[in-house]
Amino acid sequence: MASILRSIVAGPRLRNAEAGLDLCYVTDNIIVTSGPSSTYPQRAYRNPTDALVKFLDEKHGEKWAIWEFRAEGTGYPDTEVHGRIKHYPWPDHHPPPFALIPNIMASMRNWLKDPNTKQDGAVVVVHCKAGKGRSGTVACSYLISEEQWSKDDALARFTARRMRAGFGAGVSIPSQLRWVGYVERWSKTGKVYVERPIEILELHVWGLRDGVKVAVEGFVDEGRRIENFHVFKKHERLVVDGTAQNNSIFANLAGLNNTSGTTKARSKTVATSKFDTKQSSSLIDATQAPSPAVPADPSDHETGGGAVIFRPSTRIILPTSDICIDFERRNKATYGWTMVTAVAHVWFNAYFEGLGPENNAKPSPNGIFEIEWDAMDGIKGSSRKGTRALDRLAVVWKALDDEKVTLPQIITEPAIGEPVPETGPADWRTGNVESPGGGKDLGMRNESPGPQSTNMSKASSIKSSKSGPGQVTMEDGDADSVDGVKVHGPDGESHIQHHGVEPAVAWESEHKHNLAEVICDIEHAQTGFLPSDVKREKRTKGSKWTNLKQPPELSLVPYHLTGACD
């Protein structure tokens, strides 16, 4: 029954026929798998750790090792994988802190290629939670930096080996894709990265709707946590007019107040060394009244908002060059509740947006990063963001190279045979704790959130609060969308059918009523609801449980298989 449940919970992911596990061979020596678990009830519907270890031992002997990226915890102790595991955790649905990339690449390369270890036929096993977003980012980065694949070829290979046709790309989160592009530029220019503290000077937003909360976030604790550094208040918002525009830092960087004709660095997705006057129409034009923006999405009938400059009343200084801008839109409801109608965020790295790789590791001291609403990251790694909260964003930043703060740190990839630093692991037990909320989403919330939620991004899986050092709030969302994930053998062969029928379909026709009862049991074990409580809940086809704190994995079960729970 456990194997049947794992097949159904895997949904569109196809299982490896030889291993009976959710894993695939991206290349002969790179295996990607979803995160295994050693404790119940998770091992009933995830890869059991002992089963994964048994397969790897039989297939590859002692020539395998695991690289894991789960800031939420692995779900198993290191001893259960013979201690052959490297930890580089960061939060789900986000790109990695770029400072981790050189060490991850070097440690994988040393295992596979170091002649002193004599590891002919060695394999690396990478996993996050679903074995898609974080794992795909690292697998593609390795192919680019160590095997000289192009970015497009690496992404295409991962998609072909991990995803079923028609279910989208393997790496699909925009910020993670941006990071893969950074890796390509990094690998072509000497593999040098400069970590600098960054100050956020201003945010410029076009088409800002009502009720939007804007926050600035960054990595802390070696990338294991994301901390909120600033939430903009009402008095820090300035509706743009001619005076405001001409006096803003944005105007100075853009050259609007520069009579000499020279300007500072500016970027959209990639920075340019000089401001192009032909692109001046992309700036907030305060010489005339802002006209309403037209939403790009035809289904969004709301007229666009105005142009706003956000100027912090206190300095916003992030310890690294990885920067996140987060948005949440709320509409007032009633009885102390609000309706969250939009959630989105975007990550960028100031070293790459400042053209550091192209300028011999000497990035611009300041710049402007621009992005459209439709190109931002959505809820829990999806493209879904809700209603439009804004049309376009510009972030004005500068590096703090000459101040008495943390000095810039030059990070290079360790050479073959050199020791490679490793990040401390998260508590493995937390990987088995399914958070009741399943990650922030659209819907009803308290109008006056507590101190923790005030300082949390609304599209993140792990956040820290400022109420105390080291305090972490877990918001589990099933890792990077798992729709369409599939499995391959070492030669790229697909494992698709079971007796001529896909396993999920074959099983469904015979056991759907028994599965419904199993699902109810797991619901009861994880939520505390008795069956009678479950039956009182109302549900419509295709929707999520109403008021039930359902583990995200179970949301993959087709609606008609859960009838016994209604």
Side-chain angles (χ1 to χ4, degrees), residues 40 87 137 151 171 215 231 239 241 280 286 311 315 351 368 390 465 473 510 530 546 553 565:
Y40 283 99
H87 300 278
T137 300
K151 179 187 74 171
V171 181
V231 176
V239 178
D241 58 23
S280 61
R311 291 178 178 171
R315 298 181 73 184
Y351 174 76
I368 302 170
L390 54 98
S465 72
T473 300
E510 299 179 22
L530 295 174
T546 303
E553 291 78 13
C565 296

Side-chain angles (χ1 to χ4, degrees), residues 345-358:
H345 68 273
V346 60
W347 284 92
F348 69 94
N349 184 284
Y351 174 76
F352 291 93
E353 299 303 331
L355 290 180
E358 292 76 17

